[in-house]
Amino acid sequence: MKRKKILGSHVKRLLSGVAIHGRRHLNEVETDLLQTELLLEEAIDKLTSSFMAIHSAVGARQETIDRLLAGEKPSAEDSARLSDMSGEIGQHVNSAITSMQFQDMTSQLIDRTLRRVAGLREFLGTLSEHGAEIAPETDSEEIVERLGKVSMALAIQSLELRSMLRKSVDQHHLESGDIELF
């Protein structure tokens, strides 16, 4: 009876540890995916706004452009508006390029999420390997010993996974400087 209690407590501790470590890593995966979604939404909104502003800038000068294409000489006001158009469009293009650079951060988040999922797969593989070594006829002392090894191996894997994955995401390719998020 005492062996069953000892075995039961080891099994309970192992399963509890697996659940705690697994939940922790899955929460991190969920957080990374939500951050990725927010970054993508923001980038898409900014890109849409930039392209609509470019369209608006060109549309506002279309009448002048049509007159030029018809061979008419531009007025001083037309010339000034056309000169300003280049700078205005340049600003909108720069804004669009900055928005596209969110891809760098989302790529890092997705990479980190994939590495965390791979780590969880390894984690479960370790559990499966050690579990496969326990035969139905294995005595409880050996089972307790194996469960202790499994528990230790899983704890080490979990710590290695957490330490391997950076918490922050950096934007490395911004012309205006580096940004660190999360």
Side-chain angles (χ1 to χ4, degrees):
M1 183 70 161
K2 187 172 178 145
R3 285 185 190 192
K4 283 187 178 182
K5 283 187 178 182
I6 292 172
L7 181 61
S9 70
H10 281 287
V11 170
K12 182 178 178 178
R13 187 171 47 237
L14 174 68
L15 294 177
S16 177
V18 168
I20 289 168
H21 292 298
R23 259 195 306 274
R24 184 179 301 136
H25 291 296
L26 287 174
N27 285 339
E28 292 293 332
V29 166
E30 184 178 33
T31 298
D32 284 351
L33 290 173
L34 289 172
Q35 289 173 340
T36 302
E37 181 182 35
L38 291 173
L39 279 172
L40 288 172
E41 284 177 9
E42 184 176 345
I44 289 168
D45 287 347
K46 286 184 177 189
L47 278 171
T48 300
S49 176
S50 295
F51 288 124
M52 293 306 292
I54 290 169
H55 175 72
S56 177
V58 171
R61 276 107 180 150
Q62 189 62 48
E63 188 178 303
T64 303
I65 293 169
D66 289 342
R67 282 197 307 270
L68 286 172
L69 291 173
E72 294 179 26
K73 185 173 172 149
S75 67
E77 183 183 304
D78 288 339
S79 294
R81 284 178 34 196
L82 287 174
S83 275
D84 293 344
M85 185 171 100
S86 177
E88 185 180 346
I89 289 176
Q91 288 175 337
H92 296 310
V93 168
N94 285 338
S95 176
I97 288 169
T98 301
S99 297
M100 287 188 291
Q101 289 171 335
F102 276 97
Q103 182 273 338
D104 180 43
M105 289 185 286
T106 57
S107 177
Q108 289 177 60
L109 281 168
I110 290 169
D111 180 59
R112 186 169 70 188
T113 301
L114 290 172
R115 288 186 301 172
R116 190 172 297 280
V117 168
L120 281 169
R121 187 178 298 115
E122 263 183 58
F123 193 75
L124 295 172
T126 297
L127 187 61
S128 177
E129 287 172 26
H130 282 80
E133 294 174 1
I134 299 174
E137 61 275 356
T138 305
D139 70 23
S140 32
E141 288 172 12
E142 188 179 340
I143 290 174
V144 168
E145 181 184 327
R146 287 184 189 266
L147 290 176
K149 289 179 182 177
V150 171
S151 187
M152 184 61 71
L154 293 176
I156 290 169
Q157 278 183 315
S158 183
L159 286 173
E160 287 173 349
L161 181 60
R162 269 193 293 166
S163 67
M164 174 184 77
L165 299 172
R166 291 185 53 177
K167 191 64 183 164
S168 65
V169 174
D170 302 320
Q171 187 161 6
H172 302 289
H173 304 295
L174 249 185
E175 296 281 333
S176 60
D178 287 343
I179 294 176
E180 184 175 302
L181 296 177
F182 322 117

